[in-house]
Amino acid sequence: MGMRGKTMRAFKDELNWCAGEIEKALDYFLPGVQSRQGVVAQAMRYSTLGGGKRVRGVLVMKFCQACGGDPRQGLPFACALEMIHASSLIHDDLPCMDDDCLRRGKPSCHVAFGEANALLAGDALINLAFDVLSSEESVKAVGAENALKAVNLLSRKVGVDGMIGGQVVDLESEGKSIDEETLEYLHRLKTCALIQAAAALGCIAAGASKEKLQLALHYGDALGLAFQIVDDILDVTGDVAQLGKPIGSDSEQEKTTYVTLKGLNGAKADAAQCTQRAREVLDALGLEEGFLYEFTDMLLNRTK
Ligand code: GRG
């Protein structure tokens, strides 16, 4: 096997190792199901464990490593990111939002547990994320000051000027045609903000400099936009079995997407351009080769 084959295998092993570590840590931090309120704990576990690509958690671990830390140091932060992400998927699928019945190849949380329990499971996951960020385990791994920085950065990136704000603009745009500037604005908040937080929290876990943190935020913005454009493309060209969620939901909800604005080829070109921008930031961080480079490319070429 040539060098390329070897690099690829090492990359996949590394990716699987990170995902496995995240899964174990999530299982540790998620509540047990034996209490009287166990049904909500069950819903939280159902939507957080056993599925998902773990993009945000992996970014935390790998940015932590790239900044000189042990990737496992970033595990509490990685879990917090995955919990917030899972909460956003639960709420996004609710009938009052996108009303989707399938997520990660399984019935959506509200289909499995009812609307009220799904709403509460999402709420509880947001709380648990900040509990984990400021937990004893987190402080032991990264120190109290870095844990506090992470709480502040993540709460902003999730809030009204972050992911939640993006969802507001997204919902307001349904059934209307919006211009590219508005589309980019809403995706920057709805999708990029959390991906930025993931890269930045990895830096914080390693106690990296402000300069590195800034570059991580730039990287997250570029990767997040590429990721969302690919998401728009897969909603048209993807396969339900692979994606584990319905296709065609954007057009059903009369959403403007990169594909409706630019056509499939235009959207693909935009995704490639954003990926290139992300690669340039990795170059600036001195990471011209290695895991994050391959990860960035893999996300451009993904089919799920
Ligand atoms: C509950 C904190 C909170 C917020 C509510 C509903 C909402 C506001 C925001 C929705 C944000 C959202 C669903 C953005 C979409 C981002 C996106 C591209 C998700 C798909 O991510 P993948 O492909 O999913 O990483 P997996 O399943 O692989 O983890």
Side-chain angles (χ1 to χ4, degrees), residues 51-56 82 84-85 87-93 97 103-104 122-123 126 158 163-164 167 190-191 227-228 231 245 302 304:
K53 296 179 288 294
R54 305 291 181 217
V55 168
R56 296 152 192 83
E82 289 294 330
I84 294 282
H85 172 55
S87 78
S88 77
L89 300 180
I90 295 173
H91 286 184
D92 191 51
D93 288 339
M97 300 224 194
R103 174 66 69 178
R104 293 177 170 169
D123 292 344
I126 306 169
V158 175
M163 183 172 68
I164 289 173
Q167 180 77 349
K190 192 181 85 161
T191 303
F227 191 79
Q228 182 59 53
D231 207 72
K245 63 178 181 181
R302 73 197 166 97
K304 61 177 186 176

PDB file of all heavy atoms in Angstrom, residues 51-56 82 84-85 87-93 97 103-104 122-123 126 158 163-164 167 190-191 227-228 231 245 302 304, ligand 1:
ATOM      1  N   GLY A  51     -24.998   8.036  17.475  1.00  0.00           N
ATOM      2  CA  GLY A  51     -25.303   8.577  16.144  1.00  0.00           C
ATOM      3  C   GLY A  51     -24.641   9.909  15.947  1.00  0.00           C
ATOM      4  O   GLY A  51     -24.155  10.527  16.902  1.00  0.00           O
ATOM      5  N   GLY A  52     -24.594  10.343  14.715  1.00  0.00           N
ATOM      6  CA  GLY A  52     -23.982  11.643  14.444  1.00  0.00           C
ATOM      7  C   GLY A  52     -22.515  11.482  14.112  1.00  0.00           C
ATOM      8  O   GLY A  52     -21.858  10.526  14.542  1.00  0.00           O
ATOM      9  N   LYS A  53     -22.021  12.425  13.340  1.00  0.00           N
ATOM     10  CA  LYS A  53     -20.625  12.339  12.879  1.00  0.00           C
ATOM     11  C   LYS A  53     -19.627  12.837  13.920  1.00  0.00           C
ATOM     12  O   LYS A  53     -18.440  12.661  13.771  1.00  0.00           O
ATOM     13  CB  LYS A  53     -20.489  13.168  11.582  1.00  0.00           C
ATOM     14  CG  LYS A  53     -21.327  12.620  10.438  1.00  0.00           C
ATOM     15  CD  LYS A  53     -21.200  13.447   9.170  1.00  0.00           C
ATOM     16  CE  LYS A  53     -21.894  14.788   9.221  1.00  0.00           C
ATOM     17  NZ  LYS A  53     -23.380  14.700   9.324  1.00  0.00           N
ATOM     18  N   ARG A  54     -20.125  13.523  14.938  1.00  0.00           N
ATOM     19  CA  ARG A  54     -19.269  14.066  16.007  1.00  0.00           C
ATOM     20  C   ARG A  54     -18.298  15.135  15.490  1.00  0.00           C
ATOM     21  O   ARG A  54     -17.166  15.270  16.013  1.00  0.00           O
ATOM     22  CB  ARG A  54     -18.468  12.955  16.721  1.00  0.00           C
ATOM     23  CG  ARG A  54     -19.336  11.833  17.273  1.00  0.00           C
ATOM     24  CD  ARG A  54     -20.174  12.299  18.419  1.00  0.00           C
ATOM     25  NE  ARG A  54     -20.993  11.250  18.984  1.00  0.00           N
ATOM     26  CZ  ARG A  54     -22.234  11.442  19.437  1.00  0.00           C
ATOM     27  NH1 ARG A  54     -22.794  12.650  19.355  1.00  0.00           N
ATOM     28  NH2 ARG A  54     -22.912  10.475  19.957  1.00  0.00           N
ATOM     29  N   VAL A  55     -18.725  15.863  14.461  1.00  0.00           N
ATOM     30  CA  VAL A  55     -17.847  16.877  13.858  1.00  0.00           C
ATOM     31  C   VAL A  55     -17.384  17.898  14.901  1.00  0.00           C
ATOM     32  O   VAL A  55     -16.191  18.222  14.995  1.00  0.00           O
ATOM     33  CB  VAL A  55     -18.607  17.612  12.721  1.00  0.00           C
ATOM     34  CG1 VAL A  55     -17.862  18.847  12.251  1.00  0.00           C
ATOM     35  CG2 VAL A  55     -18.860  16.662  11.558  1.00  0.00           C
ATOM     36  N   ARG A  56     -18.333  18.366  15.717  1.00  0.00           N
ATOM     37  CA  ARG A  56     -17.977  19.443  16.647  1.00  0.00           C
ATOM     38  C   ARG A  56     -17.076  18.938  17.773  1.00  0.00           C
ATOM     39  O   ARG A  56     -16.106  19.603  18.153  1.00  0.00           O
ATOM     40  CB  ARG A  56     -19.264  20.091  17.178  1.00  0.00           C
ATOM     41  CG  ARG A  56     -20.033  20.759  16.028  1.00  0.00           C
ATOM     42  CD  ARG A  56     -21.533  20.820  16.236  1.00  0.00           C
ATOM     43  NE  ARG A  56     -22.227  21.203  15.016  1.00  0.00           N
ATOM     44  CZ  ARG A  56     -22.555  20.347  14.026  1.00  0.00           C
ATOM     45  NH1 ARG A  56     -22.234  19.062  14.111  1.00  0.00           N
ATOM     46  NH2 ARG A  56     -23.181  20.779  12.947  1.00  0.00           N
ATOM     47  N   GLU A  82     -21.360  18.678  21.757  1.00  0.00           N
ATOM     48  CA  GLU A  82     -22.261  17.654  21.197  1.00  0.00           C
ATOM     49  C   GLU A  82     -23.639  17.709  21.859  1.00  0.00           C
ATOM     50  O   GLU A  82     -24.649  17.419  21.220  1.00  0.00           O
ATOM     51  CB  GLU A  82     -21.637  16.256  21.314  1.00  0.00           C
ATOM     52  CG  GLU A  82     -20.455  16.033  20.368  1.00  0.00           C
ATOM     53  CD  GLU A  82     -20.850  16.029  18.871  1.00  0.00           C
ATOM     54  OE1 GLU A  82     -21.979  15.652  18.541  1.00  0.00           O
ATOM     55  OE2 GLU A  82     -20.004  16.414  18.045  1.00  0.00           O
ATOM     56  N   ILE A  84     -25.111  20.512  23.091  1.00  0.00           N
ATOM     57  CA  ILE A  84     -25.804  21.685  22.517  1.00  0.00           C
ATOM     58  C   ILE A  84     -26.281  21.348  21.107  1.00  0.00           C
ATOM     59  O   ILE A  84     -27.412  21.667  20.721  1.00  0.00           O
ATOM     60  CB  ILE A  84     -24.858  22.910  22.465  1.00  0.00           C
ATOM     61  CG1 ILE A  84     -24.478  23.383  23.872  1.00  0.00           C
ATOM     62  CG2 ILE A  84     -25.473  24.040  21.631  1.00  0.00           C
ATOM     63  CD1 ILE A  84     -25.526  24.190  24.594  1.00  0.00           C
ATOM     64  N   HIS A  85     -25.412  20.718  20.338  1.00  0.00           N
ATOM     65  CA  HIS A  85     -25.773  20.342  18.968  1.00  0.00           C
ATOM     66  C   HIS A  85     -27.005  19.423  18.983  1.00  0.00           C
ATOM     67  O   HIS A  85     -27.975  19.660  18.252  1.00  0.00           O
ATOM     68  CB  HIS A  85     -24.560  19.651  18.335  1.00  0.00           C
ATOM     69  CG  HIS A  85     -24.813  19.030  17.009  1.00  0.00           C
ATOM     70  ND1 HIS A  85     -25.336  19.735  15.937  1.00  0.00           N
ATOM     71  CD2 HIS A  85     -24.627  17.751  16.561  1.00  0.00           C
ATOM     72  CE1 HIS A  85     -25.457  18.915  14.900  1.00  0.00           C
ATOM     73  NE2 HIS A  85     -25.045  17.727  15.252  1.00  0.00           N
ATOM     74  N   SER A  87     -29.282  19.174  21.266  1.00  0.00           N
ATOM     75  CA  SER A  87     -30.469  19.941  21.691  1.00  0.00           C
ATOM     76  C   SER A  87     -31.026  20.741  20.515  1.00  0.00           C
ATOM     77  O   SER A  87     -32.235  20.846  20.334  1.00  0.00           O
ATOM     78  CB  SER A  87     -30.126  20.871  22.867  1.00  0.00           C
ATOM     79  OG  SER A  87     -29.445  22.029  22.422  1.00  0.00           O
ATOM     80  N   SER A  88     -30.133  21.277  19.694  1.00  0.00           N
ATOM     81  CA  SER A  88     -30.602  22.091  18.561  1.00  0.00           C
ATOM     82  C   SER A  88     -31.294  21.211  17.520  1.00  0.00           C
ATOM     83  O   SER A  88     -32.264  21.636  16.891  1.00  0.00           O
ATOM     84  CB  SER A  88     -29.453  22.890  17.946  1.00  0.00           C
ATOM     85  OG  SER A  88     -28.642  22.059  17.131  1.00  0.00           O
ATOM     86  N   LEU A  89     -30.817  19.979  17.360  1.00  0.00           N
ATOM     87  CA  LEU A  89     -31.470  19.070  16.400  1.00  0.00           C
ATOM     88  C   LEU A  89     -32.854  18.669  16.910  1.00  0.00           C
ATOM     89  O   LEU A  89     -33.820  18.614  16.143  1.00  0.00           O
ATOM     90  CB  LEU A  89     -30.601  17.819  16.161  1.00  0.00           C
ATOM     91  CG  LEU A  89     -29.199  18.056  15.592  1.00  0.00           C
ATOM     92  CD1 LEU A  89     -28.463  16.729  15.410  1.00  0.00           C
ATOM     93  CD2 LEU A  89     -29.235  18.815  14.270  1.00  0.00           C
ATOM     94  N   ILE A  90     -32.953  18.410  18.223  1.00  0.00           N
ATOM     95  CA  ILE A  90     -34.259  18.043  18.803  1.00  0.00           C
ATOM     96  C   ILE A  90     -35.265  19.172  18.569  1.00  0.00           C
ATOM     97  O   ILE A  90     -36.373  18.952  18.086  1.00  0.00           O
ATOM     98  CB  ILE A  90     -34.140  17.767  20.327  1.00  0.00           C
ATOM     99  CG1 ILE A  90     -33.264  16.550  20.603  1.00  0.00           C
ATOM    100  CG2 ILE A  90     -35.526  17.581  20.934  1.00  0.00           C
ATOM    101  CD1 ILE A  90     -32.972  16.319  22.091  1.00  0.00           C
ATOM    102  N   HIS A  91     -34.858  20.398  18.911  1.00  0.00           N
ATOM    103  CA  HIS A  91     -35.783  21.538  18.767  1.00  0.00           C
ATOM    104  C   HIS A  91     -36.074  21.834  17.297  1.00  0.00           C
ATOM    105  O   HIS A  91     -37.201  22.155  16.934  1.00  0.00           O
ATOM    106  CB  HIS A  91     -35.219  22.765  19.482  1.00  0.00           C
ATOM    107  CG  HIS A  91     -35.317  22.693  20.977  1.00  0.00           C
ATOM    108  ND1 HIS A  91     -34.950  23.723  21.813  1.00  0.00           N
ATOM    109  CD2 HIS A  91     -35.760  21.703  21.805  1.00  0.00           C
ATOM    110  CE1 HIS A  91     -35.154  23.370  23.078  1.00  0.00           C
ATOM    111  NE2 HIS A  91     -35.636  22.145  23.095  1.00  0.00           N
ATOM    112  N   ASP A  92     -35.055  21.702  16.468  1.00  0.00           N
ATOM    113  CA  ASP A  92     -35.224  21.969  15.031  1.00  0.00           C
ATOM    114  C   ASP A  92     -36.256  21.029  14.401  1.00  0.00           C
ATOM    115  O   ASP A  92     -36.994  21.428  13.494  1.00  0.00           O
ATOM    116  CB  ASP A  92     -33.872  21.797  14.336  1.00  0.00           C
ATOM    117  CG  ASP A  92     -33.876  22.317  12.910  1.00  0.00           C
ATOM    118  OD1 ASP A  92     -34.299  23.470  12.705  1.00  0.00           O
ATOM    119  OD2 ASP A  92     -33.463  21.581  12.002  1.00  0.00           O
ATOM    120  N   ASP A  93     -36.322  19.790  14.889  1.00  0.00           N
ATOM    121  CA  ASP A  93     -37.240  18.794  14.312  1.00  0.00           C
ATOM    122  C   ASP A  93     -38.677  18.942  14.805  1.00  0.00           C
ATOM    123  O   ASP A  93     -39.578  18.304  14.265  1.00  0.00           O
ATOM    124  CB  ASP A  93     -36.749  17.368  14.661  1.00  0.00           C
ATOM    125  CG  ASP A  93     -35.492  16.989  13.877  1.00  0.00           C
ATOM    126  OD1 ASP A  93     -35.244  17.604  12.829  1.00  0.00           O
ATOM    127  OD2 ASP A  93     -34.757  16.076  14.318  1.00  0.00           O
ATOM    128  N   MET A  97     -41.147  23.950  14.409  1.00  0.00           N
ATOM    129  CA  MET A  97     -39.992  24.423  13.625  1.00  0.00           C
ATOM    130  C   MET A  97     -40.005  23.695  12.281  1.00  0.00           C
ATOM    131  O   MET A  97     -40.901  23.901  11.493  1.00  0.00           O
ATOM    132  CB  MET A  97     -38.700  24.257  14.404  1.00  0.00           C
ATOM    133  CG  MET A  97     -38.742  25.040  15.704  1.00  0.00           C
ATOM    134  SD  MET A  97     -37.269  25.941  16.092  1.00  0.00           S
ATOM    135  CE  MET A  97     -37.579  26.312  17.804  1.00  0.00           C
ATOM    136  N   ARG A 103     -34.371  11.460  12.165  1.00  0.00           N
ATOM    137  CA  ARG A 103     -33.080  12.088  12.508  1.00  0.00           C
ATOM    138  C   ARG A 103     -32.079  11.005  12.844  1.00  0.00           C
ATOM    139  O   ARG A 103     -32.364  10.132  13.652  1.00  0.00           O
ATOM    140  CB  ARG A 103     -33.309  13.029  13.699  1.00  0.00           C
ATOM    141  CG  ARG A 103     -32.086  13.647  14.270  1.00  0.00           C
ATOM    142  CD  ARG A 103     -31.406  14.610  13.326  1.00  0.00           C
ATOM    143  NE  ARG A 103     -32.160  15.819  13.093  1.00  0.00           N
ATOM    144  CZ  ARG A 103     -31.701  16.837  12.311  1.00  0.00           C
ATOM    145  NH1 ARG A 103     -30.512  16.739  11.733  1.00  0.00           N
ATOM    146  NH2 ARG A 103     -32.430  17.910  12.116  1.00  0.00           N
ATOM    147  N   ARG A 104     -30.928  11.059  12.251  1.00  0.00           N
ATOM    148  CA  ARG A 104     -29.873  10.061  12.470  1.00  0.00           C
ATOM    149  C   ARG A 104     -30.408   8.633  12.273  1.00  0.00           C
ATOM    150  O   ARG A 104     -30.102   7.727  13.049  1.00  0.00           O
ATOM    151  CB  ARG A 104     -29.246  10.237  13.857  1.00  0.00           C
ATOM    152  CG  ARG A 104     -28.471  11.542  13.983  1.00  0.00           C
ATOM    153  CD  ARG A 104     -27.912  11.753  15.375  1.00  0.00           C
ATOM    154  NE  ARG A 104     -26.986  12.871  15.440  1.00  0.00           N
ATOM    155  CZ  ARG A 104     -26.525  13.384  16.577  1.00  0.00           C
ATOM    156  NH1 ARG A 104     -26.890  12.909  17.726  1.00  0.00           N
ATOM    157  NH2 ARG A 104     -25.673  14.394  16.546  1.00  0.00           N
ATOM    158  N   GLY A 122     -34.370  18.778  25.184  1.00  0.00           N
ATOM    159  CA  GLY A 122     -33.507  19.788  24.552  1.00  0.00           C
ATOM    160  C   GLY A 122     -33.071  20.829  25.580  1.00  0.00           C
ATOM    161  O   GLY A 122     -31.891  21.168  25.689  1.00  0.00           O
ATOM    162  N   ASP A 123     -34.035  21.316  26.353  1.00  0.00           N
ATOM    163  CA  ASP A 123     -33.723  22.315  27.392  1.00  0.00           C
ATOM    164  C   ASP A 123     -32.702  21.751  28.378  1.00  0.00           C
ATOM    165  O   ASP A 123     -31.738  22.426  28.758  1.00  0.00           O
ATOM    166  CB  ASP A 123     -34.998  22.693  28.168  1.00  0.00           C
ATOM    167  CG  ASP A 123     -36.002  23.456  27.316  1.00  0.00           C
ATOM    168  OD1 ASP A 123     -35.611  23.951  26.240  1.00  0.00           O
ATOM    169  OD2 ASP A 123     -37.172  23.549  27.728  1.00  0.00           O
ATOM    170  N   ILE A 126     -29.159  21.639  27.074  1.00  0.00           N
ATOM    171  CA  ILE A 126     -28.454  22.938  27.082  1.00  0.00           C
ATOM    172  C   ILE A 126     -27.881  23.186  28.483  1.00  0.00           C
ATOM    173  O   ILE A 126     -26.713  23.547  28.642  1.00  0.00           O
ATOM    174  CB  ILE A 126     -29.396  24.106  26.710  1.00  0.00           C
ATOM    175  CG1 ILE A 126     -30.097  23.850  25.374  1.00  0.00           C
ATOM    176  CG2 ILE A 126     -28.628  25.430  26.657  1.00  0.00           C
ATOM    177  CD1 ILE A 126     -31.221  24.836  25.080  1.00  0.00           C
ATOM    178  N   VAL A 158     -24.068  30.283  21.107  1.00  0.00           N
ATOM    179  CA  VAL A 158     -25.371  29.607  21.037  1.00  0.00           C
ATOM    180  C   VAL A 158     -26.520  30.624  21.053  1.00  0.00           C
ATOM    181  O   VAL A 158     -27.587  30.359  20.537  1.00  0.00           O
ATOM    182  CB  VAL A 158     -25.534  28.615  22.229  1.00  0.00           C
ATOM    183  CG1 VAL A 158     -26.923  27.995  22.251  1.00  0.00           C
ATOM    184  CG2 VAL A 158     -24.496  27.509  22.142  1.00  0.00           C
ATOM    185  N   MET A 163     -26.271  30.765  17.238  1.00  0.00           N
ATOM    186  CA  MET A 163     -27.119  29.741  16.604  1.00  0.00           C
ATOM    187  C   MET A 163     -28.612  30.041  16.718  1.00  0.00           C
ATOM    188  O   MET A 163     -29.358  29.891  15.733  1.00  0.00           O
ATOM    189  CB  MET A 163     -26.802  28.386  17.236  1.00  0.00           C
ATOM    190  CG  MET A 163     -27.564  27.260  16.597  1.00  0.00           C
ATOM    191  SD  MET A 163     -27.049  25.649  17.178  1.00  0.00           S
ATOM    192  CE  MET A 163     -27.603  25.685  18.858  1.00  0.00           C
ATOM    193  N   ILE A 164     -29.048  30.474  17.887  1.00  0.00           N
ATOM    194  CA  ILE A 164     -30.486  30.739  18.061  1.00  0.00           C
ATOM    195  C   ILE A 164     -30.923  31.875  17.131  1.00  0.00           C
ATOM    196  O   ILE A 164     -31.966  31.783  16.459  1.00  0.00           O
ATOM    197  CB  ILE A 164     -30.804  31.026  19.549  1.00  0.00           C
ATOM    198  CG1 ILE A 164     -30.656  29.713  20.347  1.00  0.00           C
ATOM    199  CG2 ILE A 164     -32.207  31.626  19.711  1.00  0.00           C
ATOM    200  CD1 ILE A 164     -30.777  29.856  21.858  1.00  0.00           C
ATOM    201  N   GLN A 167     -31.400  30.640  13.665  1.00  0.00           N
ATOM    202  CA  GLN A 167     -32.656  29.892  13.489  1.00  0.00           C
ATOM    203  C   GLN A 167     -33.839  30.860  13.342  1.00  0.00           C
ATOM    204  O   GLN A 167     -34.751  30.607  12.562  1.00  0.00           O
ATOM    205  CB  GLN A 167     -32.857  28.954  14.694  1.00  0.00           C
ATOM    206  CG  GLN A 167     -34.120  28.115  14.643  1.00  0.00           C
ATOM    207  CD  GLN A 167     -34.017  26.927  13.681  1.00  0.00           C
ATOM    208  OE1 GLN A 167     -33.079  26.830  12.896  1.00  0.00           O
ATOM    209  NE2 GLN A 167     -34.978  26.042  13.741  1.00  0.00           N
ATOM    210  N   LYS A 190     -26.489  30.320  12.249  1.00  0.00           N
ATOM    211  CA  LYS A 190     -27.144  29.039  12.554  1.00  0.00           C
ATOM    212  C   LYS A 190     -26.148  27.875  12.578  1.00  0.00           C
ATOM    213  O   LYS A 190     -26.218  27.001  13.440  1.00  0.00           O
ATOM    214  CB  LYS A 190     -28.234  28.767  11.509  1.00  0.00           C
ATOM    215  CG  LYS A 190     -29.157  27.635  11.894  1.00  0.00           C
ATOM    216  CD  LYS A 190     -30.217  27.371  10.846  1.00  0.00           C
ATOM    217  CE  LYS A 190     -29.685  26.463   9.773  1.00  0.00           C
ATOM    218  NZ  LYS A 190     -30.735  25.811   8.975  1.00  0.00           N
ATOM    219  N   THR A 191     -25.216  27.847  11.661  1.00  0.00           N
ATOM    220  CA  THR A 191     -24.314  26.686  11.551  1.00  0.00           C
ATOM    221  C   THR A 191     -22.873  27.016  11.926  1.00  0.00           C
ATOM    222  O   THR A 191     -22.223  26.275  12.659  1.00  0.00           O
ATOM    223  CB  THR A 191     -24.372  26.123  10.114  1.00  0.00           C
ATOM    224  OG1 THR A 191     -25.732  25.803   9.825  1.00  0.00           O
ATOM    225  CG2 THR A 191     -23.520  24.878   9.963  1.00  0.00           C
ATOM    226  N   PHE A 227     -19.657  23.545   5.169  1.00  0.00           N
ATOM    227  CA  PHE A 227     -20.465  22.449   5.716  1.00  0.00           C
ATOM    228  C   PHE A 227     -21.951  22.666   5.417  1.00  0.00           C
ATOM    229  O   PHE A 227     -22.664  21.757   5.007  1.00  0.00           O
ATOM    230  CB  PHE A 227     -20.236  22.385   7.230  1.00  0.00           C
ATOM    231  CG  PHE A 227     -20.794  21.169   7.889  1.00  0.00           C
ATOM    232  CD1 PHE A 227     -20.119  19.961   7.821  1.00  0.00           C
ATOM    233  CD2 PHE A 227     -21.991  21.216   8.596  1.00  0.00           C
ATOM    234  CE1 PHE A 227     -20.630  18.825   8.434  1.00  0.00           C
ATOM    235  CE2 PHE A 227     -22.508  20.090   9.206  1.00  0.00           C
ATOM    236  CZ  PHE A 227     -21.826  18.889   9.132  1.00  0.00           C
ATOM    237  N   GLN A 228     -22.418  23.901   5.611  1.00  0.00           N
ATOM    238  CA  GLN A 228     -23.827  24.208   5.379  1.00  0.00           C
ATOM    239  C   GLN A 228     -24.177  24.158   3.890  1.00  0.00           C
ATOM    240  O   GLN A 228     -25.260  23.711   3.516  1.00  0.00           O
ATOM    241  CB  GLN A 228     -24.172  25.581   5.975  1.00  0.00           C
ATOM    242  CG  GLN A 228     -25.624  25.940   5.818  1.00  0.00           C
ATOM    243  CD  GLN A 228     -26.578  24.938   6.464  1.00  0.00           C
ATOM    244  OE1 GLN A 228     -26.435  24.624   7.651  1.00  0.00           O
ATOM    245  NE2 GLN A 228     -27.540  24.399   5.708  1.00  0.00           N
ATOM    246  N   ASP A 231     -24.579  20.695   3.089  1.00  0.00           N
ATOM    247  CA  ASP A 231     -25.868  20.268   3.654  1.00  0.00           C
ATOM    248  C   ASP A 231     -27.013  20.609   2.680  1.00  0.00           C
ATOM    249  O   ASP A 231     -27.908  19.792   2.443  1.00  0.00           O
ATOM    250  CB  ASP A 231     -26.082  20.993   4.992  1.00  0.00           C
ATOM    251  CG  ASP A 231     -26.977  20.219   5.945  1.00  0.00           C
ATOM    252  OD1 ASP A 231     -26.515  19.184   6.470  1.00  0.00           O
ATOM    253  OD2 ASP A 231     -28.132  20.646   6.150  1.00  0.00           O
ATOM    254  N   LYS A 245     -31.831  11.323   7.481  1.00  0.00           N
ATOM    255  CA  LYS A 245     -32.867  12.348   7.663  1.00  0.00           C
ATOM    256  C   LYS A 245     -33.534  12.570   6.299  1.00  0.00           C
ATOM    257  O   LYS A 245     -32.965  12.184   5.266  1.00  0.00           O
ATOM    258  CB  LYS A 245     -32.271  13.639   8.233  1.00  0.00           C
ATOM    259  CG  LYS A 245     -31.253  14.322   7.356  1.00  0.00           C
ATOM    260  CD  LYS A 245     -30.748  15.619   7.988  1.00  0.00           C
ATOM    261  CE  LYS A 245     -29.737  16.305   7.090  1.00  0.00           C
ATOM    262  NZ  LYS A 245     -29.201  17.544   7.638  1.00  0.00           N
ATOM    263  N   ARG A 302     -18.323  14.731   1.738  1.00  0.00           N
ATOM    264  CA  ARG A 302     -19.157  13.770   2.481  1.00  0.00           C
ATOM    265  C   ARG A 302     -20.453  13.465   1.741  1.00  0.00           C
ATOM    266  O   ARG A 302     -20.924  14.266   0.925  1.00  0.00           O
ATOM    267  CB  ARG A 302     -19.444  14.315   3.881  1.00  0.00           C
ATOM    268  CG  ARG A 302     -20.436  15.460   3.920  1.00  0.00           C
ATOM    269  CD  ARG A 302     -20.348  16.200   5.229  1.00  0.00           C
ATOM    270  NE  ARG A 302     -21.049  17.476   5.151  1.00  0.00           N
ATOM    271  CZ  ARG A 302     -22.286  17.684   5.576  1.00  0.00           C
ATOM    272  NH1 ARG A 302     -22.963  16.714   6.115  1.00  0.00           N
ATOM    273  NH2 ARG A 302     -22.843  18.874   5.473  1.00  0.00           N
ATOM    274  N   LYS A 304     -22.930  12.047   3.889  1.00  0.00           N
ATOM    275  CA  LYS A 304     -23.903  11.971   4.992  1.00  0.00           C
ATOM    276  C   LYS A 304     -23.601  13.029   6.047  1.00  0.00           C
ATOM    277  O   LYS A 304     -22.553  13.632   6.025  1.00  0.00           O
ATOM    278  CB  LYS A 304     -23.896  10.579   5.625  1.00  0.00           C
ATOM    279  CG  LYS A 304     -22.563  10.167   6.248  1.00  0.00           C
ATOM    280  CD  LYS A 304     -22.693   8.813   6.908  1.00  0.00           C
ATOM    281  CE  LYS A 304     -21.415   8.492   7.642  1.00  0.00           C
ATOM    282  NZ  LYS A 304     -21.416   7.284   8.392  1.00  0.00           N
TER     283      LYS A 304
HETATM  284  C1  GRG B   1     -31.884  24.367  21.532  1.00  0.00           C
HETATM  285  C2  GRG B   1     -29.702  25.605  21.764  1.00  0.00           C
HETATM  286  C3  GRG B   1     -30.951  25.401  21.032  1.00  0.00           C
HETATM  287  C4  GRG B   1     -31.234  26.146  19.944  1.00  0.00           C
HETATM  288  C5  GRG B   1     -32.535  26.199  19.286  1.00  0.00           C
HETATM  289  C6  GRG B   1     -33.447  24.885  16.736  1.00  0.00           C
HETATM  290  C7  GRG B   1     -32.335  25.872  16.844  1.00  0.00           C
HETATM  291  C8  GRG B   1     -32.393  26.879  17.925  1.00  0.00           C
HETATM  292  C9  GRG B   1     -31.297  25.898  16.004  1.00  0.00           C
HETATM  293  C10 GRG B   1     -31.152  24.918  14.916  1.00  0.00           C
HETATM  294  C11 GRG B   1     -29.784  24.916  14.412  1.00  0.00           C
HETATM  295  C12 GRG B   1     -29.576  23.868  13.379  1.00  0.00           C
HETATM  296  C13 GRG B   1     -30.415  22.630  13.349  1.00  0.00           C
HETATM  297  C14 GRG B   1     -28.603  24.054  12.514  1.00  0.00           C
HETATM  298  C15 GRG B   1     -28.303  23.074  11.466  1.00  0.00           C
HETATM  299  C16 GRG B   1     -26.859  22.751  11.530  1.00  0.00           C
HETATM  300  C17 GRG B   1     -26.555  21.483  10.798  1.00  0.00           C
HETATM  301  C18 GRG B   1     -25.948  21.586   9.463  1.00  0.00           C
HETATM  302  C19 GRG B   1     -26.833  20.305  11.386  1.00  0.00           C
HETATM  303  C20 GRG B   1     -26.429  19.000  10.880  1.00  0.00           C
HETATM  304  O1  GRG B   1     -25.242  18.676  11.557  1.00  0.00           O
HETATM  305  P1  GRG B   1     -24.453  17.324  11.355  1.00  0.00           P
HETATM  306  O2  GRG B   1     -24.493  16.948   9.917  1.00  0.00           O
HETATM  307  O3  GRG B   1     -25.352  16.300  12.178  1.00  0.00           O
HETATM  308  O4  GRG B   1     -23.125  17.486  11.988  1.00  0.00           O
HETATM  309  P2  GRG B   1     -24.913  14.917  12.875  1.00  0.00           P
HETATM  310  O5  GRG B   1     -26.203  14.131  12.961  1.00  0.00           O
HETATM  311  O6  GRG B   1     -23.871  14.253  12.028  1.00  0.00           O
HETATM  312  O7  GRG B   1     -24.399  15.259  14.245  1.00  0.00           O
END
